[in-house]
Amino acid sequence: MNTQKNYEFVDFGKIEDIKSKQYILPDSKKVINGKIFLNDSINLSGSEISFNVFIPGEFLPFDHKHSKNEETYIVLGGIGEMEIDGEKIEIKEGSVINVEPNASRNICNTSSDTELVFIVIQSIKDSMNSVKRTSDGIGVCERTKW
């Protein structure tokens, strides 16, 4: 009998509560307000996910790129801009942007009165190429009602 739990669950509360959180960058000790990484909380092993809430006018204090990880930004609310390799792209609720590892990037809340809420998912570029999109799923049982 398997007594090990096959999932991790955490509840960070309302999105508005995330803006009071802080993440301290390990190398530079810079503080990023309104950021929570999920990795340690739910034992992620194949991706890195963060929730982010930027107040009006806020942006990352540095441009950055990655050596292996692509990043997918999913905007849940607000408006802003992403700058990728010097090109500015307007973003808003519903925008999804995938950024290649070696591209220089930054994100800014361009609103004067609304928070920019977004999720960032990092994963190793091309790590899904060995698996067909739905071929990894295995049906366990059919349902006709909840």
Side-chain angles (χ1 to χ4, degrees):
M1 182 168 133
N2 182 5
T3 58
Q4 183 177 351
K5 192 168 59 170
N6 289 323
Y7 66 91
E8 296 291 334
F9 174 83
V10 66
D11 184 346
F12 288 111
K14 296 181 179 182
I15 293 288
E16 64 191 41
D17 296 336
I18 293 172
K19 65 184 167 189
S20 67
K21 306 292 184 186
Q22 291 186 324
Y23 178 72
I24 300 172
L25 295 167
D27 296 336
S28 67
K29 305 301 182 213
K30 287 185 187 261
V31 175
I32 301 177
N33 294 311
K35 185 174 200 73
I36 295 176
F37 280 101
L38 303 183
N39 299 50
D40 294 335
S41 300
I42 58 173
N43 296 320
L44 293 176
S45 65
S47 62
E48 181 175 272
I49 301 173
S50 65
F51 280 107
N52 303 266
V53 179
F54 280 16
I55 61 172
E58 188 173 13
F59 54 89
L60 285 175
F62 53 86
D63 292 3
H64 72 288
K65 58 173 69 177
H66 291 272
S67 58
K68 295 179 183 176
N69 292 349
E70 63 186 5
E71 286 184 319
T72 303
Y73 292 74
I74 303 169
V75 181
L76 303 176
I79 60 169
E81 284 183 345
M82 283 203 68
E83 185 172 321
I84 304 168
D85 287 338
E87 180 181 347
K88 289 187 178 179
I89 302 165
E90 290 185 20
I91 58 174
K92 62 184 182 345
E93 182 177 335
S95 296
V96 178
I97 307 96
N98 189 59
V99 184
E100 295 288 316
N102 63 347
S104 176
R105 71 211 61 183
N106 205 326
I107 187 169
C108 177
N109 180 346
T110 57
S111 172
S112 61
D113 60 359
T114 306
E115 293 163 344
L116 178 64
V117 180
F118 59 99
I119 294 173
V120 181
I121 302 170
Q122 284 189 48
S123 53
I124 295 175
K125 181 173 174 53
D126 295 326
S127 62
M128 292 295 291
N129 285 346
S130 63
V131 177
K132 299 281 186 210
R133 301 258 184 255
T134 58
S135 67
D136 187 55
I138 301 166
V140 176
C141 67
E142 289 192 26
R143 287 185 182 232
T144 58
K145 63 181 180 178
W146 186 248

